[in-house]
Amino acid sequence: PTPCRPRSRRKRLCPRGYPSVRAFRPEHETQRAKFRVVTDGACNGNPGPGGYAAILQYGEHRRELSGGFRRTTNNRMELMAAIKALEALKEACQVTLVSDSEYVVNGITKQWARGWRAKGWRRSGKTVPNWELWQRLLELCEFHTVRFEWVRGHAGHVENERCDELAVAAAGGSNLPADPGYEQPPTPPAAATA
């Protein structure tokens, strides 16, 4: 959704009930708005039909989003969940992103993705799987200030369980679109900057 640009300081909501960051922040305040985001991905088979989901929380406001693809992998859906959540925030924000995917969390916090990018998305002489999603996620992490937290999946974390339900439901949807990055993987650039 496009961020709202209210003319007054009163609270208002963007289309589809999504809160505007600016609607809740005084004009003189320069600190980034703080969001809590919980994400999850699911795949029926691996590869198979897949889904992603995220819950975005800003103060008392909450938004759920989800989607799916006809043939993909679980790792791609875990990455896509984080990407779609961060892309939904049109202004630079301070984000705590909670995921049960060690693949996603470690890829960022242990600097794996930055290292892969610096080497032209190559690892042990081969193209890094899902490199185009890692590139998108790195760009979003450079736009926002993001702190990643890992939680154990299926361990009673309420928002994680809800994201799992949404992702599984999305994977089971009808007429799912193609995941072009999986079905026709792009070629990475020869070199990239760190």
Side-chain angles (χ1 to χ4, degrees):
T2 304
C4 295
R5 308 229 182 258
R7 293 187 180 139
S8 70
R9 291 187 190 180
R10 65 186 173 85
K11 291 184 179 181
R12 82 176 218 182
L13 298 177
C14 287
R16 299 189 194 114
Y18 189 63
S20 163
V21 171
R22 290 184 182 175
F24 300 98
R25 197 171 60 199
E27 292 173 13
H28 65 276
E29 189 178 320
T30 57
Q31 185 177 1
R32 292 180 174 195
K34 296 180 181 179
F35 276 78
R36 179 176 172 81
V37 173
V38 182
T39 66
D40 199 18
C43 205
N44 186 9
N46 197 18
Y52 62 84
I55 297 171
L56 294 84
Q57 296 171 308
Y58 178 70
E60 64 201 43
H61 299 277
R62 173 184 170 110
R63 176 185 176 200
E64 296 179 345
L65 59 86
S66 63
F69 296 96
R70 68 188 181 198
R71 187 167 175 79
T72 188
T73 66
N74 191 74
N75 281 344
R76 289 185 66 79
M77 293 300 91
E78 295 284 3
L79 284 165
M80 188 64 74
I83 290 166
K84 291 293 188 178
L86 294 173
E87 284 179 345
L89 305 174
K90 301 303 183 188
E91 298 176 34
C93 298
Q94 199 171 347
V95 181
T96 298
L97 193 148
V98 180
S99 172
D100 64 8
S101 171
E102 292 184 70
Y103 175 68
V104 171
V105 174
N106 289 343
I108 297 296
T109 62
K110 294 187 177 182
Q111 305 292 316
W112 297 344
R114 286 183 188 276
W116 298 330
R117 180 173 65 180
K119 295 175 183 175
W121 299 108
R122 305 286 291 176
R123 181 181 66 194
S124 303
K126 298 179 180 178
T127 300
V128 172
N130 310 317
W131 73 269
E132 83 287 2
L133 296 181
W134 281 114
Q135 180 168 276
R136 283 170 66 185
L137 184 56
L138 281 175
E139 289 169 357
L140 288 161
C141 289
E142 289 160 0
F143 178 66
H144 300 291
T145 301
V146 186
R147 183 171 62 87
F148 284 77
E149 284 183 12
W150 178 79
V151 298
R152 186 174 303 281
H154 310 288
H157 186 282
V158 176
E159 286 91 1
N160 177 259
E161 297 289 346
R162 176 60 180 155
C163 279
D164 182 64
E165 290 174 11
L166 291 168
V168 168
S174 58
N175 299 317
L176 293 174
D179 177 355
Y182 177 76
E183 294 190 15
Q184 296 180 334
T187 302
T193 58

